[in-house]
Amino acid sequence: VIGVAPTADQGGYWLVASDGGVFAFGDASFYGSIPGLGIAPDDSPMHPSLNAPIVGMVPSHDGHGYFLVANDGGVFAFGDAKFEGSCPGIGGCLGGGIAVVMTDGSGNGYWAVSYTGDVHAFGDATNYGGPASYLPYATVVRSADRTASGNGYWVLFSDGEIYSYGDAVYLGSPFGQIEFSNPTSAIFATSDGGGYWVTTFNGAVYAYGDAPYYGGMSANQLNGLIVAATGW
């Protein structure tokens, strides 16, 4: 499992695996998956198969569908999610692989963010810029999240640095507190966009703006790394 996303009413969530398998819990509806289309994982000898593993998912604008994004920037739309293009469809995207996908505020566009911080806009999504030219040595994009309006976004690097674009407001970051052995794994905003949380592989949580701190998992012995998180 490499991603999690909540339903609009916060009564459920989806988990997505690297092979494109989708698991729905609570009031989250299942709209399909990559294995359900008869497509094998990227490392499978079977055909057809993915060209690259799935690295993230995001619900559609109204929550009656979702997008899955692969490491090569391939986008797969399920339910009422509207496909607006992908990196392979435009001959590839810069940035050494796609790390995350975000929808814009209209439901007719989305952004794909590469590991190096290149932002690629599809549909009616506006490209507000990206931190690719500021990439610190030996660090990669781990996560990104859009603002409540859909007119901006935050981009999180593995060393804790955060860059804000559009109407996203920078509220602080754990840069300087993150150890190389415990990089960040996710950034997710509060419902009003006035704050955000950052998590790390061992479950540490950092809260900024109006995001309250409710605790973390860093004091516990985990069976695996924290790779995704969400909140509201």
Side-chain angles (χ1 to χ4, degrees):
V1 170
I2 49 79
V4 60
T7 57
D9 66 0
Q10 305 159 15
Y13 48 81
W14 296 274
L15 303 182
V16 61
S18 60
D19 67 349
V22 175
F23 309 90
F25 297 90
D27 66 2
S29 296
F30 178 76
Y31 296 106
S33 67
I34 301 295
L37 298 176
I39 300 175
D42 65 297
D43 58 356
S44 171
M46 298 176 61
H47 296 282
S49 62
L50 291 170
N51 294 323
I54 298 298
V55 294
M57 77 170 298
V58 65
S60 62
H61 183 63
D62 62 5
H64 296 301
Y66 39 76
F67 299 92
L68 307 185
V69 63
N71 180 245
D72 65 349
V75 175
F76 303 85
F78 296 88
D80 68 356
K82 186 178 179 182
F83 178 77
E84 296 285 359
S86 67
C87 290
I90 60 174
C93 292
L94 298 173
I98 297 300
V100 65
V101 64
M102 305 173 284
T103 57
D104 68 358
S106 73
N108 295 312
Y110 42 83
W111 299 279
V113 185
S114 75
Y115 286 111
T116 57
D118 294 279
V119 176
H120 307 277
F122 296 92
D124 65 1
T126 299
N127 191 330
Y128 295 106
S133 60
Y134 306 106
L135 179 68
Y137 178 72
T139 187
V140 296
V141 168
R142 285 294 186 190
S143 181
D145 198 12
R146 56 162 252 194
T147 59
S149 69
N151 296 320
Y153 42 79
W154 296 275
V155 179
L156 171 71
F157 279 93
S158 57
D159 63 0
E161 188 63 279
I162 295 171
Y163 294 87
S164 56
Y165 298 91
D167 65 359
V169 177
Y170 176 78
L171 300 166
S173 80
F175 179 70
Q177 305 173 60
I178 300 299
E179 298 178 356
F180 182 78
S181 61
N182 182 38
T184 63
S185 56
I187 183 172
F188 47 104
T190 57
S191 58
D192 65 1
Y196 47 76
W197 295 275
V198 174
T199 62
T200 68
F201 274 8
N202 76 354
V205 177
Y206 301 85
Y208 300 93
D210 67 4
Y213 178 75
Y214 294 117
M217 296 298 295
S218 57
N220 298 273
Q221 182 65 43
L222 301 177
N223 293 323
L225 301 176
I226 300 296
V227 296
T230 188
W232 43 76

